[in-house]
Amino acid sequence: MKTYAAYQAMVEEALPRQLASLGSIPEPLHQAMAYSLEAGGKRLRPVLLLAACDMAGGSLEEAMPFACALEMIHTYSLIHDDLPAMDNDDLRRGRPTNHKVFGEAMAILAGDGLLSAAGELMLSAAVRMDDQRGVRAAEAILRRAGVTGMVAGQTMDVTGEGSEPTIEKVSYIHLHKTADLLTAPIEAGLLLAGASGEQVRAGTEFGQRLGLAFQMVDDVLDVQGDMAVLGKTTGKDAEQGKLTWVSVRELDGAREDARAQVALAVKALNQLDMDTNFLKTLAQSTLERVQ
Amino acid sequence: MKTYAAYQAMVEEALPRQLASLGSIPEPLHQAMAYSLEAGGKRLRPVLLLAACDMAGGSLEEAMPFACALEMIHTYSLIHDDLPAMDNDDLRRGRPTNHKVFGEAMAILAGDGLLSAAGELMLSAAVRMDDQRGVRAAEAILRRAGVTGMVAGQTMDVTGEGSEPTIEKVSYIHLHKTADLLTAPIEAGLLLAGASGEQVRAGTEFGQRLGLAFQMVDDVLDVQGDMAVLGKTTGKDAEQGKLTWVSVRELDGAREDARAQVALAVKALNQLDMDTNFLKTLAQSTLERVQ
């Protein structure tokens, strides 16, 4: 196992190479795709995939196209989510959003392009394998990113704005909008390493719990960060009428639930006969920001 | 081999079933996706895939998820293309466009959802096969739909608007925006039937020639249809400053080039030791509208 920084550096190095492997992309499209792909943050999803694969004895080289594909899917979802018709954000990680720089038409195409590129990268890698591991990993990733996964969560997030928050609605949104794309790397990483069905199930549970905790913490930070800076309890989420965990459980309830989810995530890892320290530490560090 | 109408009917029947096979899609997302998917026209792309697979002795049942996936990709591209930031169309095949009915946010998500669903359907089918045919077919389809294929063509179409038309620019746009998604079904259909590399290459050439002829005819009709109706030579393409085959070769040149491409398409089919009558008739019928 490597450190988080080492996996992250591998991803940073591989992303432009994987994009270039697709062939000749027209310059305006390549620029718009690369702008958002390079503006990446912690590369959490690809790092999770590499770590899960590594932990189960798989090959990092084989896993890399899938890791980069996942980051491309995450990036496309941010570009489309920032569009004026969606969340209408002008800034993302301190830089102007994609449509602010390249216009709405190119932002839509850059998102479409990144999702297509993700599929293509995984399929090219799967064609080169002589067994079903690549197809199964690609299937898991596209399913979790698709119409019963991330896109389903986005839909309920958008259509739920301003409606009465309930535990059921917010759970659905968090599970699909956020947790599915944190579960996909664990599932795919383990599948690529040839893990058993039982191991994949335990990893999947870990991913879902981690994802829920992650989003609960984000919801807390949206309010807490604002309180610290502005001295008021209404964050951007509340202003937009977003359904958040804080809106159904208040700040203390959300913090408590995040802690409980992390405990369950760690418990799921105990079912795996592998060195799970990397994932345990990562899950626990999720809570540090709201302690 | 079956008739066009028979293949088309099979596709119409399969589309809702394939969509339902993905699991529980949230109602607002399912509605928006189904609205555009049901408003389908001739189902040319899936019919081509079924016919190519059938012609080479493959299984139509195995081919169906790939045929439906291709129609979903075509449909997503139309939904996104009609958006205000892109071509800003209010009507498509006589019905209000997706964003006119469901709003822009849902239209973006419906497009994202259809592309994701296409990938997921193909991968689920590929997992069920015990060889590489499914992965190779899925790879061909995603590559032709992606950042060196259809999305590349769309990009140059959007960024080229109003610029000086040249044969090179228009050829690039037509080859990628249109011909790639008519080549993909032939390529994938043959791959699913286990055709040889040589056969796939001949089929690919047919698809590209057919696609170019198809778009040239469309460009002619945009002007000719308008002349017939309004007595003027400026169609919607010219108004938008679109780069078309007519803009570089005039009406007569475009008609001539379309005929030449159909002849080359038919010639490519002669390399195949199969019953190619279905595809030959289809290619020749392309010209009927502008004769």
Side-chain angles (χ1 to χ4, degrees):
Chain A
M1 297 293 291
K2 300 182 190 302
T3 62
Y4 193 103
Y7 290 125
Q8 187 177 355
M10 288 173 73
V11 172
E12 292 295 347
E13 192 269 326
L15 273 170
R17 210 162 23 84
Q18 293 285 341
L19 199 59
S21 77
L22 296 172
S24 178
I25 304 170
E27 198 41 40
L29 179 62
H30 186 267
Q31 263 184 26
M33 289 165 68
Y35 173 82
S36 291
L37 207 52
E38 284 162 11
K42 302 177 301 296
R43 309 297 189 192
L44 176 57
R45 289 150 197 83
V47 167
L48 279 174
L49 192 146
L50 294 180
C53 183
D54 207 3
M55 172 179 88
S59 147
L60 293 181
E61 199 186 329
E62 265 189 349
M64 194 53 91
F66 299 84
C68 289
L70 207 46
E71 185 68 9
M72 290 180 188
I73 291 174
H74 176 57
T75 305
Y76 114 76
S77 79
L78 299 180
I79 294 175
H80 282 187
D81 206 34
D82 286 338
L83 284 167
M86 306 276 284
D87 281 357
N88 193 21
D89 277 314
D90 293 350
L91 288 173
R92 158 90 48 196
R93 293 179 188 130
R95 298 172 76 196
T97 44
N98 199 287
H99 65 273
K100 281 282 159 191
V101 179
F102 302 99
E104 277 186 59
M106 277 313 301
I108 293 166
L109 288 169
D112 294 347
L114 283 165
L115 175 54
S116 304
E120 199 181 331
L121 273 182
M122 293 192 286
L123 266 301
S124 306
V127 168
R128 291 193 298 270
M129 296 182 184
D130 52 11
D131 56 24
Q132 294 285 73
R133 287 175 299 125
V135 199
R136 293 165 65 98
E139 192 274 332
I141 289 174
L142 288 179
R143 174 167 37 82
R144 298 233 174 241
V147 293
T148 60
M150 186 185 69
V151 180
Q154 288 270 41
T155 299
M156 299 318 286
D157 186 49
V158 165
T159 59
E161 267 179 35
S163 76
E164 185 64 37
T166 65
I167 292 269
E168 287 73 27
K169 278 198 265 185
V170 183
S171 297
Y172 184 93
I173 293 170
H174 284 15
L175 196 58
H176 294 298
K177 189 183 168 170
T178 308
D180 270 335
L181 222 57
L182 292 170
T183 306
I186 308 291
E187 204 176 350
L190 291 174
L191 285 168
L192 286 168
S196 70
E198 209 172 325
Q199 289 171 325
V200 173
R201 269 188 298 282
T204 298
E205 193 187 341
F206 167 78
Q208 287 177 325
R209 304 293 187 188
L210 174 72
L212 289 175
F214 191 84
Q215 187 60 54
M216 288 167 181
V217 166
D218 243 37
D219 290 352
V220 167
L221 284 175
D222 182 73
V223 178
Q224 192 176 271
D226 237 45
M227 282 179 73
V229 178
L230 307 168
K232 61 169 183 165
T233 52
T234 335
K236 185 163 183 293
D237 290 338
E239 265 168 39
Q240 292 192 337
K242 288 274 183 200
L243 301 178
T244 69
W245 207 249
V246 176
S247 71
V248 284
R249 291 276 291 143
E250 305 292 337
L251 274 174
D252 284 344
R255 282 195 199 97
E256 191 184 311
D257 293 345
R259 274 194 296 274
Q261 289 299 328
V262 167
L264 289 167
V266 168
K267 201 175 154 198
L269 287 179
N270 290 335
Q271 299 169 53
L272 292 171
D273 187 20
M274 301 172 188
D275 174 6
T276 59
N277 278 325
F278 181 95
L279 294 182
K280 278 186 186 163
T281 308
L282 192 146
Q284 274 147 355
S285 73
T286 305
L287 298 172
E288 277 164 23
R289 296 183 298 162
V290 288
Q291 223 84 64
Chain B
M1 298 293 290
K2 300 182 190 300
T3 62
Y4 193 103
Y7 290 125
Q8 187 177 353
M10 288 172 72
V11 172
E12 291 295 347
E13 192 268 326
L15 273 170
R17 211 161 23 84
Q18 292 286 341
L19 198 59
S21 77
L22 296 173
S24 179
I25 304 170
E27 198 41 39
L29 178 62
H30 186 267
Q31 264 185 25
M33 290 166 69
Y35 173 82
S36 292
L37 207 53
E38 284 162 10
K42 303 176 301 295
R43 310 298 189 191
L44 177 57
R45 290 152 197 82
V47 167
L48 278 174
L49 192 147
L50 295 180
C53 184
D54 207 2
M55 174 179 88
S59 147
L60 292 182
E61 200 185 326
E62 264 188 349
M64 194 53 91
F66 298 85
C68 290
L70 207 45
E71 186 67 8
M72 290 179 188
I73 290 172
H74 176 56
T75 305
Y76 113 75
S77 79
L78 299 179
I79 295 175
H80 282 187
D81 206 34
D82 287 339
L83 284 168
M86 305 275 283
D87 280 357
N88 193 21
D89 278 314
D90 292 350
L91 288 173
R92 158 88 49 196
R93 295 180 186 129
R95 299 171 76 196
T97 44
N98 200 287
H99 65 271
K100 281 283 159 189
V101 180
F102 302 98
E104 277 186 59
M106 276 314 300
I108 293 166
L109 287 169
D112 294 347
L114 284 165
L115 175 54
S116 304
E120 199 181 329
L121 274 182
M122 294 193 286
L123 267 300
S124 306
V127 168
R128 291 193 299 270
M129 297 182 184
D130 50 13
D131 56 24
Q132 294 286 72
R133 287 174 300 125
V135 201
R136 292 165 64 99
E139 191 274 333
I141 289 173
L142 288 179
R143 175 166 37 81
R144 298 233 174 240
V147 293
T148 61
M150 186 183 71
V151 180
Q154 289 271 43
T155 300
M156 298 319 285
D157 186 49
V158 165
T159 58
E161 267 180 34
S163 76
E164 186 65 37
T166 65
I167 291 270
E168 287 72 28
K169 277 198 266 186
V170 184
S171 297
Y172 184 92
I173 293 170
H174 283 17
L175 196 59
H176 294 298
K177 188 183 167 169
T178 308
D180 269 335
L181 221 58
L182 292 169
T183 306
I186 308 290
E187 203 176 351
L190 291 174
L191 285 168
L192 286 167
S196 69
E198 211 172 323
Q199 290 171 324
V200 173
R201 269 190 297 281
T204 297
E205 193 188 341
F206 166 78
Q208 288 178 324
R209 302 293 187 186
L210 173 72
L212 289 176
F214 191 84
Q215 187 60 53
M216 287 167 181
V217 166
D218 242 37
D219 289 353
V220 167
L221 284 174
D222 182 73
V223 178
Q224 191 177 273
D226 237 43
M227 281 179 76
V229 177
L230 306 170
K232 61 166 183 167
T233 52
T234 337
K236 185 162 183 295
D237 289 339
E239 266 168 38
Q240 291 192 338
K242 287 274 182 199
L243 300 179
T244 70
W245 207 249
V246 175
S247 71
V248 284
R249 290 275 291 142
E250 304 294 335
L251 274 174
D252 283 346
R255 283 197 199 94
E256 192 184 308
D257 292 346
R259 275 194 296 275
Q261 288 299 327
V262 167
L264 289 168
V266 168
K267 201 175 154 199
L269 288 179
N270 290 335
Q271 300 170 52
L272 292 171
D273 186 22
M274 301 173 187
D275 175 6
T276 58
N277 278 324
F278 182 95
L279 294 183
K280 278 185 186 163
T281 308
L282 193 146
Q284 274 147 355
S285 73
T286 304
L287 298 172
E288 277 165 24
R289 298 183 297 164
V290 288
Q291 221 87 64

